[in-house]
């Protein structure tokens, strides 16, 4: 049922209860609106996350400022999805909470348990986009901890899932991480070949931000 359908249904149930004396549909209508609220909270949190990623820092060398509304939005979505028994939504909300702790707060210790739970639930429900995201960020955490082979395996599995769902800009993004891992394992030729392939994918699909990161990686490697 779509968002519009749930809102229309809530209006109809209200009228049945108030004018017709039939309150039997109120609970279902409330749950439908909970689903709408969860989806909206998750979407709004993602917008704030995108704004953080896109923001220029106030001062050179500093980082953008975290929006204090972002984490509560993801936590509210998680609470609602859990109450609704929506495992797929729960996995996505868990991922975004973990991503915030990792990407914005640089706190892998807090992030990894959320990412691991997200990965398990997304795998159970067959949600390949969320599954691939959780694997990617678990790979990033493993890389930061110096567990290079684990990081490589996580990113390769994430890349496989992204290819399956046609998320090719995401494939290019993962390949940047794989190139850094290859360089750290003294496989510099593999790293540069990987970046060449990633650049071709990014250029073909208009992933301009990814292309900039590829050039940065090429310079560092």
């Amino acid at each position: 049922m779509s968002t519009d359908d749930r809102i229309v249904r809530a209006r109809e149930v209200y009228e049945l209860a108030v004018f017709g004396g039939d309150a039997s549909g109120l609970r279902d209508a409330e749950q439908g609106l909970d689903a709408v609220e969860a989806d909206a909270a998750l979407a709004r949190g993602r917008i704030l996350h995108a704004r953080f990623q896109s923001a220029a820092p106030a001062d050179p060398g500093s980082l953008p400022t975290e929006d204090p509304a972002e984490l509560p939005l993801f936590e509210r979505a998680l609470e609602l999805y859990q109450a609704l028994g929506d495992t797929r939504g729960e996995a996505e909300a868990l991922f975004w909470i973990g991503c915030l702790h990792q990407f914005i707060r640089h706190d892998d210790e807090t992030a990894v348990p959320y990412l691991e739970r997200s990965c398990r639930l997304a795998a159970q429900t067959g949600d390949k986009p969320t599954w691939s995201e959780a694997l990617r960020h678990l790979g990033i955490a493993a890389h930061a901890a110096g567990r290079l082979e684990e990081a490589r395996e996580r990113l390769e599995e994430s890349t496989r899932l992204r290819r399956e769902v046609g998320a090719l800009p995401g494939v290019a993004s993962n390949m940047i991480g794989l190139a850094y891992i290859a360089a750290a394992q003294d496989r510099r030729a593999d790293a540069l070949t990987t970046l060449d392939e990633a650049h071709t994918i990014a250029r073909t699909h208009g992933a301009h931000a990814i292309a900039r990161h590829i050039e940065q990686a090429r310079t560092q490697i």
Side-chain angles (χ1 to χ4, degrees), residues 40-50 69-71 73-74 96:
L42 193 68
R44 189 175 293 277
R46 290 178 66 171
I47 292 297
L48 295 181
H49 192 83
E70 184 178 337
L71 182 58
L73 285 166
F74 292 142
W96 282 107

Side-chain angles (χ1 to χ4, degrees), residues 6 22 37 42 65 68 73 107 129 132 160 197 202-203 214:
R6 287 174 172 142
D22 179 5
E37 182 184 347
L42 193 68
T65 302
L73 285 166
D107 181 2
S132 70
R160 181 186 67 80
E197 184 181 350
R203 186 181 60 216
I214 290 167

Side-chain angles (χ1 to χ4, degrees), residues 184-198:
Q185 293 177 322
D186 296 324
R187 295 185 291 111
R188 187 172 182 276
D190 289 345
L192 295 175
T193 298
T194 299
L195 290 177
D196 288 341
E197 184 181 350

Side-chain angles (χ1 to χ4, degrees), residues 195-211:
L195 290 177
D196 288 341
E197 184 181 350
H199 186 266
T200 298
I201 295 171
R203 186 181 60 216
T204 301
H205 294 275
H208 304 299
I210 301 301

